[in-house]
């Protein structure tokens, strides 16, 4: 007799049940999705129709007025039609304190203190796009609460030289990393009905001479290195505003640049938002009118308070523009295109009746700031497991260095913040390590910063030094908390650093401290790489960035081991300045000769240079240690051959083999060793951050479209795929692969 197989019957029944349940759910979700798409489309059409309607009612004068500032950070509305003003604010890391109507002074409000989020280098170092979204949405909520319609950030200029005073405001040296991190930030901000304004478009890679330097760079480097993050911001992030830059590119100012704005941004990428100048970066009415600028801000700094006539009427896109329109020199259609974009921005922001109300200084925002800060800190060295320090132990720790107590949310230029809370490193440590005795000595003093300038130090350098050495000699451990600060010629807008060294005598001080105590851990607060002549002698090094409101708590999270470090460097630390690509080509390449500069290294920026030239960096891009260990195995691709439209899926197993929970960033770099064209040995093409408990293992996948292997072919002015064999390096830093996979790619 045939026996009935109950298990098979049961599994068949289960499958049928699943189909019956899942199918209608699937159909319903598909239907809901397409209904949503249709309603979005309908809404967009209605908005476009309203824009045309409003345009028809505006006078020439009213339209021109909408294209330029009425104050430092606002543009006028049209009261008779109920069109509101547009209000903007810096910047990438928090909503800036309220600025006076007509000059750069602070308005002195008591209700404009905000949450300071960590600087963008720290965000980039998390390698965590989901966290970037949380950052953007929290920041957008604060901007909304402060009644801002446009937030002037994020910044995605590529880290080309460690001297650039504004690197801390950007997302590192790699175009793929910056693209992956900028898109969720923008979506997060904009979901609040606040426009992000991605900046500074383009090639603003140094502060020195930023107002006039004329950059020459190959088309290939432009498309492969300097534009991708902007492109992602537009095409994937749907950013609503873009800020032009101060500098020139191939002889033309970037804020009204025919090729960059008309051809690429608004043409190739179909950007439908507003191009805003950087503050004072417009130079010519005709060019501003014709070469894509929509809104002029910040021209001149003397506004109404120092002139008798309305200074704003003299802007390039004000009366001189009106004259040209009236005389027919510039057709009205040019103006209408600008106003259409401005109205579109308004329908997305201050004329969107559905936007929320925002929130500010709430616990969730502080939590996001703390998480970004602790996830972004990068452990560079940990000899003999110097870190973490045991919070249950009684010990005497000499905390030496000005940055242990200095405010780092102030200074730096336009990204300066008025933080409601700023927990200093020393304060954070004292709270988390109640059993330890913390002695603190400045050790050195940079002097106070008076908007951008370092004033002479108020203390005698030698007495500070003596005090620090005495303290270090009697402590169990020394924590040197130094680095750069936000003053002029440090990490600060408007100027570059003068060299790669730590300033204010810190190197000498450190070497003297090491003579009296060997147990030294260094915490570097900076947004830039520095030279480290003491690297072999200290026990531990932590790159702790400018970490915002929760800086001290986040530092204590890492140093106590409450949070296992998982940050990875978003840029290379070279040993010396000339080992950096831009600097290795001399003055013509940085800072330029007179006003001319050529990016002679082309596409070989950052680790692309170090890897290709085989110059060992001090610390490589993508590198960062952990308190636990990870093992990556079973690394494979889903196929060996791929066509140009395929996606390569790399799967691997990762195991936390240590005793602490932690996260690792698995990174995939692509190379083509037999390439017929000049190529970097490795280029980052994918990464994934994975959280694992001790002993836990996971299998994971990283998907990379073959189209991302293309290079920019200058002969055809387009992207091209080179067929043949490619290597994929799967590892945890630009110079370290667990496994190398070989695949073949064809053009079909
Ligand atoms: C900076 C911009 C900033 C603007 C307004 C300029 O100096 O370059 O990034 O958004 O000022 O403060």
């Amino acid at each position: 007799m045939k026996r009935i197989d109950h298990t098979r019957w049961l599994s068949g029944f289960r499958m049928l049940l699943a189909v019956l349940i899942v199918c209608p759910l699937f159909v319903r979700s598909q239907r809901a999705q397409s209904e949503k798409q249709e309603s979005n489309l309908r809404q967009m059409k209605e908005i476009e129709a309203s824009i045309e309607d409003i345009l028809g009612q505006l006078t020439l004068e009213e339209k021109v007025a909408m294209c330029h500032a009425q104050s430092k950070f606002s543009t006028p509305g049209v009261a008779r039609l109920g069109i509101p003003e547009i209000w903007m604010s810096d910047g990438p890391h928090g909503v800036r304190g309220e600025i006076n109507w007509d000059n750069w002074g602070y308005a002195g409000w008591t209700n404009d203190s905000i949450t300071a989020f960590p600087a963008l280098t720290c965000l980039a170092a998390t390698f965590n796009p989901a966290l970037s979204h949380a950052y953007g949405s929290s920041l957008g909520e604060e901007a909304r609460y402060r009644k801002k319609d446009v937030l002037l950030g994020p910044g995605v200029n590529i880290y080309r030289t460690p001297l650039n005073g504004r690197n801390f405001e950007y997302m590192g040296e790699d175009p793929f990393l910056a693209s992956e991190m900028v898109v969720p930030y923008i979506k997060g901000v904009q979901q609040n009905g606040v426009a992000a304004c991605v900046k500074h478009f383009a090639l603003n890679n140094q502060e020195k001479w930023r107002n006039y330097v004329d950059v020459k760079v190959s088309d290939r480097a432009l498309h492969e290195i300097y534009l991708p993050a902007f492109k992602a911001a537009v095409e994937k992030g749907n950013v609503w505003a873009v800020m032009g830059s101060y500098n020139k590119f191939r002889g033309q100012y970037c804020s009204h640049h025919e090729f960059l704005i008309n051809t690429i941004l608004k043409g190739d990428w179909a950007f439908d938002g507003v191009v805003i100048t950087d503050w004072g970066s417009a130079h010519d009415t005709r060019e501003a009118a014709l070469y894509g600028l929509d809104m002029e801000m910040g021209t001149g700094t003397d506004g109404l308070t120092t002139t008798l006539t309305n200074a704003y009427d003299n802007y390039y896109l004000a009366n001189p523009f009106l004259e040209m329109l009236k005389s027919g020199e510039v057709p009205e259609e040019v103006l209408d295109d600008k106003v259409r974009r401005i109205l579109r921005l308004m329908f997305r922001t201050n004329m969107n009746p559905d936007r929320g109300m925002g929130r500010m200084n709430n616990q969730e925002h502080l939590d996001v700031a703390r998480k970004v800060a602790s996830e972004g800190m990068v452990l560079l060295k940990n000899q003999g497991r110097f870190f973490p320090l045991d919070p249950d132990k009684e010990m005497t720790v000499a905390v030496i260095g000005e940055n242990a107590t200095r405010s780092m949310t102030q200074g730096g230029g336009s990204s300066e913040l008025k933080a409601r809370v700023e927990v200093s490193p020393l304060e954070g440590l004292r709270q988390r390590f109640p059993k330890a005795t913390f002695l603190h000595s400045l050790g050195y003093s940079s002097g106070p910063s008076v908007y951008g300038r370092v004033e002479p130090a108020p203390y005698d350098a030698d007495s500070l030094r003596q005090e620090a050495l005495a303290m270090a000699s009697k402590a169990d451990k020394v924590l040197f908390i130094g680095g750069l600060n936000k003053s002029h010629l440090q990490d600060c807008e408007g100027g570059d650093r003068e060299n790669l060294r730590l300033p204010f005598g810190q190197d000498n001080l450190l070497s003297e401290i090491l003579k009296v105590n060997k147990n030294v851990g260094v915490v570097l607060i900076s947004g830039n790489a520095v030279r480290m002549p003491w690297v072999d002698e200290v026990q531990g090094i932590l790159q702790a960035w400018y970490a915002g409101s929760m800086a001290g708590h986040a530092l204590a999270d890492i140093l106590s081991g409450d949070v296992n470090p998982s940050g990875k460097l978003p840029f290379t630390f070279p040993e010396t300045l000339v080992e950096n690509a831009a600097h290795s080509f001399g003055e013509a390449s940085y800072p330029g000769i007179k006003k001319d500069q050529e990016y002679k290294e082309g596409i070989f920026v950052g680790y692309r240079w170090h890897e290709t030239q085989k110059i060992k960096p001090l610390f490589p891009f993508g590198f960062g240690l952990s308190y636990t260990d990870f093992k990556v195995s079973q690394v494979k691709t889903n196929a060996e051959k791929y066509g140009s439209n395929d996606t390569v899926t790399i799967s691997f197993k990762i195991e936390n083999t240590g005793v602490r929970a932690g996260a690792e960033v698995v990174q995939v770099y692509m190379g083509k060793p037999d390439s017929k064209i000049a190529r970097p040995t490795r280029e980052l093409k994918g990464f994934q951050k994975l959280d694992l408990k001790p002993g836990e293992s996971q299998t994971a996948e990283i998907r990379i479209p073959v189209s991302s292997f293309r290079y920019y072919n200058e002969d055809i002015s387009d992207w091209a795929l080179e067929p043949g064999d490619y290597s994929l390096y799967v590892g945890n830093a630009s110079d370290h692969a667990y496994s190398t996979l070989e695949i073949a790619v064809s053009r079909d």
Side-chain angles (χ1 to χ4, degrees), residues 72-73 89-92 96 99 104 152-153 166 169-170 199-200 204 207 210 243-244 246 277-280 413-415 451 493:
K72 275 270 162 276
F73 283 94
S89 172
D90 284 304
R96 192 177 182 184
I99 304 276
W104 284 110
L152 303 172
R166 278 187 105 169
E169 289 187 60
Y170 303 141
K199 63 194 192 182
H200 308 89
N204 181 188
E207 287 297 288
R210 71 172 179 180
M243 185 189 288
Y246 285 120
T277 50
D278 199 340
W279 267 231
S414 59
S415 63
Y451 194 68
E493 182 177 339

mmCIF file of all heavy atoms in Angstrom, residues 72-73 89-92 96 99 104 152-153 166 169-170 199-200 204 207 210 243-244 246 277-280 413-415 451 493, ligand 1:
data_model
loop_
_atom_site.group_PDB
_atom_site.id
_atom_site.type_symbol
_atom_site.label_atom_id
_atom_site.label_comp_id
_atom_site.label_asym_id
_atom_site.label_seq_id
_atom_site.Cartn_x
_atom_site.Cartn_y
_atom_site.Cartn_z
ATOM 1 N N LYS A 72 21.103 89.481 3.627
ATOM 2 C CA LYS A 72 22.216 88.525 3.563
ATOM 3 C C LYS A 72 21.759 87.115 3.201
ATOM 4 O O LYS A 72 22.426 86.402 2.467
ATOM 5 C CB LYS A 72 22.922 88.456 4.933
ATOM 6 C CG LYS A 72 23.964 89.516 5.104
ATOM 7 C CD LYS A 72 25.321 89.020 4.621
ATOM 8 C CE LYS A 72 26.262 90.158 4.368
ATOM 9 N NZ LYS A 72 26.127 90.774 3.035
ATOM 10 N N PHE A 73 20.606 86.684 3.768
ATOM 11 C CA PHE A 73 20.208 85.289 3.560
ATOM 12 C C PHE A 73 18.767 85.111 3.085
ATOM 13 O O PHE A 73 18.196 84.050 3.276
ATOM 14 C CB PHE A 73 20.448 84.474 4.841
ATOM 15 C CG PHE A 73 21.896 84.122 5.043
ATOM 16 C CD1 PHE A 73 22.726 84.919 5.825
ATOM 17 C CD2 PHE A 73 22.447 83.005 4.421
ATOM 18 C CE1 PHE A 73 24.071 84.604 5.993
ATOM 19 C CE2 PHE A 73 23.795 82.685 4.578
ATOM 20 C CZ PHE A 73 24.609 83.486 5.364
ATOM 21 N N SER A 89 19.930 79.317 5.169
ATOM 22 C CA SER A 89 20.913 79.343 6.257
ATOM 23 C C SER A 89 22.036 78.358 5.962
ATOM 24 O O SER A 89 21.806 77.300 5.402
ATOM 25 C CB SER A 89 20.234 78.942 7.575
ATOM 26 O OG SER A 89 21.222 78.796 8.575
ATOM 27 N N ASP A 90 23.239 78.719 6.422
ATOM 28 C CA ASP A 90 24.284 77.698 6.483
ATOM 29 C C ASP A 90 23.858 76.733 7.560
ATOM 30 O O ASP A 90 23.057 77.105 8.459
ATOM 31 C CB ASP A 90 25.618 78.362 6.877
ATOM 32 C CG ASP A 90 26.203 79.117 5.682
ATOM 33 O OD1 ASP A 90 26.396 78.483 4.644
ATOM 34 O OD2 ASP A 90 26.443 80.327 5.797
ATOM 35 N N GLY A 91 24.368 75.579 7.612
ATOM 36 C CA GLY A 91 25.331 75.082 6.657
ATOM 37 C C GLY A 91 25.308 73.591 6.790
ATOM 38 O O GLY A 91 24.351 72.987 7.228
ATOM 39 N N PRO A 92 26.379 72.957 6.498
ATOM 40 C CA PRO A 92 26.290 71.492 6.399
ATOM 41 C C PRO A 92 26.123 70.758 7.721
ATOM 42 O O PRO A 92 25.642 69.645 7.728
ATOM 43 C CB PRO A 92 27.603 71.081 5.750
ATOM 44 C CG PRO A 92 28.435 72.287 5.632
ATOM 45 C CD PRO A 92 27.669 73.483 6.119
ATOM 46 N N ARG A 96 22.925 77.519 11.166
ATOM 47 C CA ARG A 96 23.780 78.588 11.707
ATOM 48 C C ARG A 96 22.974 79.603 12.530
ATOM 49 O O ARG A 96 21.785 79.819 12.266
ATOM 50 C CB ARG A 96 24.430 79.304 10.518
ATOM 51 C CG ARG A 96 25.545 80.233 10.884
ATOM 52 C CD ARG A 96 26.148 80.817 9.608
ATOM 53 N NE ARG A 96 27.259 81.698 9.888
ATOM 54 C CZ ARG A 96 27.906 82.392 8.956
ATOM 55 N NH1 ARG A 96 27.544 82.289 7.685
ATOM 56 N NH2 ARG A 96 28.908 83.163 9.268
ATOM 57 N N ILE A 99 21.821 85.598 11.388
ATOM 58 C CA ILE A 99 22.731 86.679 10.947
ATOM 59 C C ILE A 99 21.897 87.942 10.716
ATOM 60 O O ILE A 99 20.739 87.856 10.321
ATOM 61 C CB ILE A 99 23.413 86.274 9.613
ATOM 62 C CG1 ILE A 99 24.154 84.941 9.744
ATOM 63 C CG2 ILE A 99 24.312 87.368 9.062
ATOM 64 C CD1 ILE A 99 25.522 85.004 10.306
ATOM 65 N N TRP A 104 27.377 90.844 8.276
ATOM 66 C CA TRP A 104 27.728 89.502 8.733
ATOM 67 C C TRP A 104 27.637 89.304 10.241
ATOM 68 O O TRP A 104 27.899 88.230 10.747
ATOM 69 C CB TRP A 104 29.144 89.140 8.271
ATOM 70 C CG TRP A 104 29.222 88.789 6.816
ATOM 71 C CD1 TRP A 104 29.812 89.520 5.845
ATOM 72 C CD2 TRP A 104 28.690 87.616 6.177
ATOM 73 N NE1 TRP A 104 29.684 88.893 4.625
ATOM 74 C CE2 TRP A 104 28.998 87.719 4.808
ATOM 75 C CE3 TRP A 104 27.978 86.516 6.626
ATOM 76 C CZ2 TRP A 104 28.628 86.748 3.874
ATOM 77 C CZ3 TRP A 104 27.598 85.537 5.703
ATOM 78 C CH2 TRP A 104 27.921 85.663 4.351
ATOM 79 N N LEU A 152 22.096 75.544 3.277
ATOM 80 C CA LEU A 152 23.254 75.655 2.380
ATOM 81 C C LEU A 152 24.274 74.542 2.648
ATOM 82 O O LEU A 152 25.301 74.742 3.260
ATOM 83 C CB LEU A 152 23.863 77.055 2.515
ATOM 84 C CG LEU A 152 22.860 78.184 2.234
ATOM 85 C CD1 LEU A 152 23.444 79.536 2.566
ATOM 86 C CD2 LEU A 152 22.376 78.145 0.784
ATOM 87 N N GLY A 153 23.978 73.394 2.209
ATOM 88 C CA GLY A 153 24.819 72.218 2.341
ATOM 89 C C GLY A 153 24.064 71.038 1.765
ATOM 90 O O GLY A 153 22.887 71.182 1.414
ATOM 91 N N ARG A 166 38.901 73.831 4.059
ATOM 92 C CA ARG A 166 37.494 73.443 4.199
ATOM 93 C C ARG A 166 37.259 71.953 4.040
ATOM 94 O O ARG A 166 36.105 71.528 3.931
ATOM 95 C CB ARG A 166 36.644 74.190 3.173
ATOM 96 C CG ARG A 166 36.283 75.564 3.619
ATOM 97 C CD ARG A 166 35.295 76.214 2.667
ATOM 98 N NE ARG A 166 33.964 76.234 3.225
ATOM 99 C CZ ARG A 166 32.967 76.931 2.704
ATOM 100 N NH1 ARG A 166 33.135 77.619 1.598
ATOM 101 N NH2 ARG A 166 31.779 76.930 3.269
ATOM 102 N N GLU A 169 34.430 70.159 5.868
ATOM 103 C CA GLU A 169 33.032 70.329 5.474
ATOM 104 C C GLU A 169 32.632 69.380 4.341
ATOM 105 O O GLU A 169 31.499 69.442 3.874
ATOM 106 C CB GLU A 169 32.792 71.752 4.980
ATOM 107 C CG GLU A 169 32.831 72.809 6.034
ATOM 108 C CD GLU A 169 32.398 74.150 5.459
ATOM 109 O OE1 GLU A 169 31.269 74.259 4.970
ATOM 110 O OE2 GLU A 169 33.212 75.085 5.487
ATOM 111 N N TYR A 170 33.568 68.577 3.858
ATOM 112 C CA TYR A 170 33.290 67.748 2.685
ATOM 113 C C TYR A 170 33.347 66.257 3.026
ATOM 114 O O TYR A 170 33.594 65.878 4.167
ATOM 115 C CB TYR A 170 34.288 68.100 1.570
ATOM 116 C CG TYR A 170 34.278 69.562 1.171
ATOM 117 C CD1 TYR A 170 35.470 70.235 0.868
ATOM 118 C CD2 TYR A 170 33.089 70.284 1.103
ATOM 119 C CE1 TYR A 170 35.462 71.581 0.496
ATOM 120 C CE2 TYR A 170 33.084 71.633 0.731
ATOM 121 C CZ TYR A 170 34.273 72.275 0.436
ATOM 122 O OH TYR A 170 34.268 73.594 0.069
ATOM 123 N N LYS A 199 26.980 71.973 -2.544
ATOM 124 C CA LYS A 199 27.956 73.000 -2.895
ATOM 125 C C LYS A 199 29.361 72.425 -2.894
ATOM 126 O O LYS A 199 29.559 71.336 -2.367
ATOM 127 C CB LYS A 199 27.839 74.182 -1.922
ATOM 128 C CG LYS A 199 28.163 73.863 -0.446
ATOM 129 C CD LYS A 199 27.698 74.995 0.450
ATOM 130 C CE LYS A 199 28.237 74.883 1.852
ATOM 131 N NZ LYS A 199 27.774 75.920 2.754
ATOM 132 N N HIS A 200 30.349 73.061 -3.473
ATOM 133 C CA HIS A 200 30.354 74.277 -4.275
ATOM 134 C C HIS A 200 30.711 73.828 -5.680
ATOM 135 O O HIS A 200 31.817 73.325 -5.888
ATOM 136 C CB HIS A 200 31.411 75.261 -3.764
ATOM 137 C CG HIS A 200 31.278 75.526 -2.267
ATOM 138 N ND1 HIS A 200 31.889 74.777 -1.305
ATOM 139 C CD2 HIS A 200 30.576 76.478 -1.603
ATOM 140 C CE1 HIS A 200 31.591 75.257 -0.098
ATOM 141 N NE2 HIS A 200 30.797 76.279 -0.245
ATOM 142 N N ASN A 204 36.084 73.625 -6.413
ATOM 143 C CA ASN A 204 36.519 74.495 -5.315
ATOM 144 C C ASN A 204 37.265 73.597 -4.314
ATOM 145 O O ASN A 204 36.754 73.275 -3.267
ATOM 146 C CB ASN A 204 35.273 75.142 -4.692
ATOM 147 C CG ASN A 204 35.581 76.086 -3.547
ATOM 148 O OD1 ASN A 204 34.666 76.553 -2.878
ATOM 149 N ND2 ASN A 204 36.848 76.378 -3.297
ATOM 150 N N GLU A 207 41.027 76.704 -0.539
ATOM 151 C CA GLU A 207 40.537 78.016 -0.127
ATOM 152 C C GLU A 207 41.490 79.112 -0.560
ATOM 153 O O GLU A 207 41.088 80.233 -0.833
ATOM 154 C CB GLU A 207 40.352 78.042 1.388
ATOM 155 C CG GLU A 207 39.157 77.248 1.835
ATOM 156 C CD GLU A 207 37.862 77.822 1.273
ATOM 157 O OE1 GLU A 207 37.431 78.889 1.718
ATOM 158 O OE2 GLU A 207 37.279 77.198 0.365
ATOM 159 N N ARG A 210 40.732 81.327 -3.565
ATOM 160 C CA ARG A 210 39.486 80.750 -4.086
ATOM 161 C C ARG A 210 38.671 81.714 -4.935
ATOM 162 O O ARG A 210 37.880 81.300 -5.777
ATOM 163 C CB ARG A 210 38.612 80.240 -2.941
ATOM 164 C CG ARG A 210 37.988 81.331 -2.073
ATOM 165 C CD ARG A 210 36.986 80.757 -1.092
ATOM 166 N NE ARG A 210 36.419 81.808 -0.250
ATOM 167 C CZ ARG A 210 35.524 81.612 0.688
ATOM 168 N NH1 ARG A 210 35.085 80.397 0.933
ATOM 169 N NH2 ARG A 210 35.057 82.609 1.412
ATOM 170 N N MET A 243 24.753 75.205 -5.310
ATOM 171 C CA MET A 243 25.498 76.461 -5.160
ATOM 172 C C MET A 243 26.732 76.451 -6.054
ATOM 173 O O MET A 243 27.503 75.488 -6.041
ATOM 174 C CB MET A 243 25.929 76.656 -3.698
ATOM 175 C CG MET A 243 26.599 78.002 -3.450
ATOM 176 S SD MET A 243 27.327 78.132 -1.800
ATOM 177 C CE MET A 243 25.872 78.253 -0.791
ATOM 178 N N GLY A 244 26.910 77.520 -6.802
ATOM 179 C CA GLY A 244 28.109 77.658 -7.627
ATOM 180 C C GLY A 244 29.317 77.936 -6.738
ATOM 181 O O GLY A 244 29.184 78.177 -5.543
ATOM 182 N N TYR A 246 33.319 79.868 -6.066
ATOM 183 C CA TYR A 246 33.992 81.155 -6.285
ATOM 184 C C TYR A 246 34.975 81.125 -7.451
ATOM 185 O O TYR A 246 35.168 82.108 -8.142
ATOM 186 C CB TYR A 246 34.783 81.539 -5.026
ATOM 187 C CG TYR A 246 33.934 82.038 -3.879
ATOM 188 C CD1 TYR A 246 33.934 81.391 -2.652
ATOM 189 C CD2 TYR A 246 33.150 83.182 -4.024
ATOM 190 C CE1 TYR A 246 33.177 81.863 -1.589
ATOM 191 C CE2 TYR A 246 32.388 83.664 -2.967
ATOM 192 C CZ TYR A 246 32.404 83.006 -1.752
ATOM 193 O OH TYR A 246 31.651 83.481 -0.716
ATOM 194 N N THR A 277 24.264 81.500 -6.342
ATOM 195 C CA THR A 277 25.702 81.816 -6.290
ATOM 196 C C THR A 277 26.244 81.436 -4.920
ATOM 197 O O THR A 277 25.486 81.355 -3.956
ATOM 198 C CB THR A 277 25.986 83.344 -6.359
ATOM 199 O OG1 THR A 277 25.168 84.000 -5.387
ATOM 200 C CG2 THR A 277 25.835 83.901 -7.725
ATOM 201 N N ASP A 278 27.560 81.265 -4.825
ATOM 202 C CA ASP A 278 28.153 81.389 -3.510
ATOM 203 C C ASP A 278 28.081 82.887 -3.189
ATOM 204 O O ASP A 278 27.852 83.717 -4.083
ATOM 205 C CB ASP A 278 29.597 80.866 -3.468
ATOM 206 C CG ASP A 278 30.016 80.582 -2.027
ATOM 207 O OD1 ASP A 278 29.382 81.134 -1.106
ATOM 208 O OD2 ASP A 278 30.977 79.815 -1.813
ATOM 209 N N TRP A 279 28.258 83.227 -1.919
ATOM 210 C CA TRP A 279 28.006 84.621 -1.512
ATOM 211 C C TRP A 279 29.060 85.570 -2.121
ATOM 212 O O TRP A 279 30.208 85.615 -1.687
ATOM 213 C CB TRP A 279 27.977 84.704 0.011
ATOM 214 C CG TRP A 279 26.574 84.560 0.569
ATOM 215 C CD1 TRP A 279 25.976 85.399 1.465
ATOM 216 C CD2 TRP A 279 25.589 83.564 0.261
ATOM 217 N NE1 TRP A 279 24.684 84.974 1.722
ATOM 218 C CE2 TRP A 279 24.422 83.865 0.992
ATOM 219 C CE3 TRP A 279 25.555 82.458 -0.600
ATOM 220 C CZ2 TRP A 279 23.259 83.106 0.924
ATOM 221 C CZ3 TRP A 279 24.397 81.694 -0.675
ATOM 222 C CH2 TRP A 279 23.276 82.025 0.076
ATOM 223 N N GLY A 280 28.657 86.232 -3.172
ATOM 224 C CA GLY A 280 29.572 87.154 -3.828
ATOM 225 C C GLY A 280 30.351 86.502 -4.957
ATOM 226 O O GLY A 280 31.461 86.928 -5.262
ATOM 227 N N GLY A 413 34.504 79.510 9.812
ATOM 228 C CA GLY A 413 33.866 80.214 8.698
ATOM 229 C C GLY A 413 32.366 80.011 8.711
ATOM 230 O O GLY A 413 31.738 79.927 9.780
ATOM 231 N N SER A 414 31.781 79.876 7.517
ATOM 232 C CA SER A 414 30.314 79.869 7.424
ATOM 233 C C SER A 414 29.668 78.645 8.069
ATOM 234 O O SER A 414 28.472 78.638 8.317
ATOM 235 C CB SER A 414 29.896 79.969 5.961
ATOM 236 O OG SER A 414 30.430 78.891 5.230
ATOM 237 N N SER A 415 30.451 77.609 8.363
ATOM 238 C CA SER A 415 29.868 76.407 8.995
ATOM 239 C C SER A 415 29.848 76.541 10.514
ATOM 240 O O SER A 415 29.453 75.614 11.218
ATOM 241 C CB SER A 415 30.651 75.162 8.591
ATOM 242 O OG SER A 415 31.980 75.249 9.065
ATOM 243 N N TYR A 451 36.931 85.629 15.041
ATOM 244 C CA TYR A 451 36.457 85.270 13.714
ATOM 245 C C TYR A 451 37.568 84.962 12.703
ATOM 246 O O TYR A 451 38.053 85.785 11.946
ATOM 247 C CB TYR A 451 35.448 86.277 13.120
ATOM 248 C CG TYR A 451 34.788 85.628 11.942
ATOM 249 C CD1 TYR A 451 33.937 84.548 12.121
ATOM 250 C CD2 TYR A 451 35.123 86.015 10.641
ATOM 251 C CE1 TYR A 451 33.392 83.884 11.038
ATOM 252 C CE2 TYR A 451 34.584 85.344 9.548
ATOM 253 C CZ TYR A 451 33.718 84.286 9.754
ATOM 254 O OH TYR A 451 33.200 83.621 8.693
ATOM 255 N N GLU A 493 37.520 78.168 6.680
ATOM 256 C CA GLU A 493 37.225 78.770 5.378
ATOM 257 C C GLU A 493 38.076 80.023 5.137
ATOM 258 O O GLU A 493 38.446 80.721 6.073
ATOM 259 C CB GLU A 493 35.734 79.156 5.395
ATOM 260 C CG GLU A 493 35.240 79.741 4.117
ATOM 261 C CD GLU A 493 33.745 80.042 4.173
ATOM 262 O OE1 GLU A 493 33.031 79.466 5.018
ATOM 263 O OE2 GLU A 493 33.313 80.862 3.366
HETATM 264 C C1 LIG B 1 30.674 80.035 1.646
HETATM 265 C C2 LIG B 1 29.405 79.223 1.470
HETATM 266 C C3 LIG B 1 28.347 79.723 2.401
HETATM 267 C C4 LIG B 1 28.120 81.191 2.140
HETATM 268 C C5 LIG B 1 27.058 81.820 3.015
HETATM 269 C C6 LIG B 1 30.409 81.520 1.558
HETATM 270 O O1 LIG B 1 31.530 82.238 1.960
HETATM 271 O O2 LIG B 1 31.628 79.666 0.683
HETATM 272 O O3 LIG B 1 29.668 77.870 1.670
HETATM 273 O O4 LIG B 1 27.183 78.973 2.253
HETATM 274 O O5 LIG B 1 29.326 81.897 2.360
HETATM 275 O O6 LIG B 1 27.509 81.944 4.310
#
